[in-house]
Amino acid sequence: MTTLDDRTSSPTGPTVADVSGPSRLAEPDETISAEELQLAARNHGIPLEALRYDVTPAGLHYLLIHYDIPELDPATHTLTIGGAVERPLTVTLADLRERPRITRQVTLECAGNGRALLHPRPVSQPWLVEAVGNAEWTGTPLAPLLREAGIDPDAVDVVFTGADHGVERGIEQDYQRALPVADALREEVLLAYEMNGAPLLPQHGAPLRLIVPGWYGMAHVKWVHSIELRTEPFEGYQNAVAYRVRRDADDPGVPVTRIEPRALVRPPGFPDFMSRRRVLRPGPCTLDGRAWSGHAPVVAVEVTTDGGQSWTPAELDPTDAGDFAWRRWRHEWVATPGRYVLGARATDASGRTQPVEQQWNRGGFANNMVQRVEVVVPAE
């Protein structure tokens, strides 16, 4: 692992850029580094057995924190709306609670989910498939606030700034993301102050965060304190550099936006401690899991027990949770002694279907390759 002492500093001493290096790909035989392990210890995925919950308990919901959890006081926290507007606004959390209150189930998934399964592996937060959760988010719609401020007709982007501050790839920054004005004005977009009926927890963005249903997690800015409308496209790091699907370092790439369809299997039976391979008793077994997409509702899920050689339609449970919440699927299977590789693939109403093989990109983003769950059914 490269240390600060190994890097070239300016003649007058180290600079902020010395703290972090450029993005890179792991060497073919390179194992997870201490830096990646440190990220994995701070950020966690959902335990796959928790797919049984329609609404993910807050402590089991996946978590990604770019920098530090900021120390914010809900009693004094304010949100400013400015930039290309007619009437700049400053509102308190109490003001927001007085506005129309909406609760929506929304599935959030990290844009890098599945990154550690790619070859070569992009070196970053080493997600497998667990970076997802489905929660009930309560807050007030964003669009009425923006309209109240008076949107300049020339405004193109809405920039959201969080209170978390750090260095990434040598660039010191507040965490900032932008949405095109049309997306920010969607009626589903919320300024949320509650999760699962309780005030937001510090790690989930307390006291205020953005919820952008259908988009990957990077868009759901936590600890948000300012909103700025701009008449030029936002070129901040998290928009113009990070979260872009690119083939190589020189490729400008395309931005990561909506969640690609994905289905996960809730692993049956019981696990080996180290490998997490499953042991399942012979006999009838209900395989189940969750499926979601940010492009359109999921309309079909197929299941494989032979690593993708054959597929069988699964049954989708009815749901009234809305278009942006995951949906349960199930499939009846009779397990006989042997070794199996289970998986599931989702198809949404837009016609998008999960791939069986990896779709590689340099950042490891929007990878929805079918999950593999190894199962051993021992002979009795």
Side-chain angles (χ1 to χ4, degrees), residues 301-339:
V301 171
E302 299 166 280
V303 178
T304 181
T305 59
D306 55 17
Q309 295 182 52
S310 62
W311 296 90
T312 303
E315 178 184 351
L316 284 172
D317 280 6
T319 180
D320 57 1
D323 291 344
F324 300 104
W326 62 20
R327 193 170 178 186
R328 189 182 183 197
W329 60 266
R330 65 183 73 212
H331 173 66
E332 300 304 324
W333 179 48
V334 178
T336 57
R339 295 179 179 271

Side-chain angles (χ1 to χ4, degrees), residues 77-82 87-93 95-96 145 225:
H77 189 73
T78 59
L79 174 70
T80 61
I81 301 177
R87 297 171 294 276
L89 300 178
T90 298
V91 292
T92 66
L93 194 62
D95 295 331
L96 292 174
L145 273 163
H225 66 82

Side-chain angles (χ1 to χ4, degrees), residues 210-241:
L210 185 67
I211 295 294
V212 187
W215 284 50
Y216 280 110
M218 78 285 154
H220 304 244
V221 178
K222 296 188 282 190
W223 311 294
V224 64
H225 66 82
S226 75
I227 299 173
E228 182 184 4
L229 282 87
R230 299 195 180 186
T231 56
E232 298 291 338
F234 178 57
E235 297 296 329
Y237 177 87
Q238 302 296 339
N239 267 58
V241 180

Side-chain angles (χ1 to χ4, degrees), residues 50-268:
L51 292 172
R52 65 177 177 262
Y53 298 110
D54 290 335
V55 174
T56 308
L60 299 180
H61 195 285
Y62 100 90
L63 187 66
L64 179 67
I65 302 165
H66 274 80
Y67 307 128
D68 281 351
I69 300 171
E71 184 177 1
L72 301 174
D73 184 353
T76 59
H77 189 73
T78 59
L79 174 70
T80 61
I81 301 177
V85 297
E86 297 173 6
R87 297 171 294 276
L89 300 178
T90 298
V91 292
T92 66
L93 194 62
D95 295 331
L96 292 174
R97 286 182 172 275
E98 291 297 320
R99 300 181 72 89
R101 175 184 172 94
I102 301 292
T103 297
R104 287 197 174 93
Q105 276 194 38
V106 178
T107 297
L108 268 62
E109 181 180 12
C110 184
N113 200 17
R115 174 186 290 126
L117 299 172
L118 297 178
H119 302 284
R121 185 184 85 251
V123 177
S124 184
Q125 167 67 28
W127 292 123
L128 297 173
V129 297
E130 296 91 347
V132 67
N134 184 69
E136 289 184 341
W137 304 97
T138 299
T140 194
L142 171 66
L145 273 163
L146 296 181
R147 293 192 177 102
E148 187 176 318
I151 302 170
D152 187 312
D154 294 328
V156 295
D157 272 353
V158 184
V159 180
F160 302 87
T161 300
D164 47 334
H165 184 85
V167 182
E168 198 161 346
R169 306 306 181 196
I171 300 173
E172 183 176 353
Q173 59 190 281
D174 293 331
Y175 186 84
Q176 292 182 302
R177 280 284 306 185
L179 290 174
V181 170
D183 287 293
L185 289 175
R186 286 170 48 210
E187 64 176 359
E188 299 92 358
V189 178
L190 294 179
L191 290 168
Y193 43 75
E194 291 181 6
M195 178 185 186
N196 295 350
L200 288 174
L201 294 170
Q203 67 270 33
H204 286 296
L208 189 67
R209 71 173 298 167
L210 185 67
I211 295 294
V212 187
W215 284 50
Y216 280 110
M218 78 285 154
H220 304 244
V221 178
K222 296 188 282 190
W223 311 294
V224 64
H225 66 82
S226 75
I227 299 173
E228 182 184 4
L229 282 87
R230 299 195 180 186
T231 56
E232 298 291 338
F234 178 57
E235 297 296 329
Y237 177 87
Q238 302 296 339
N239 267 58
V241 180
Y243 296 108
R244 300 186 74 86
V245 176
R246 47 169 60 93
R247 298 299 302 176
D248 54 55
D250 297 323
D251 179 7
V254 296
V256 177
T257 56
R258 289 181 176 267
I259 299 171
E260 296 298 320
R262 187 191 290 272
L264 288 182
V265 177
R266 180 164 68 101

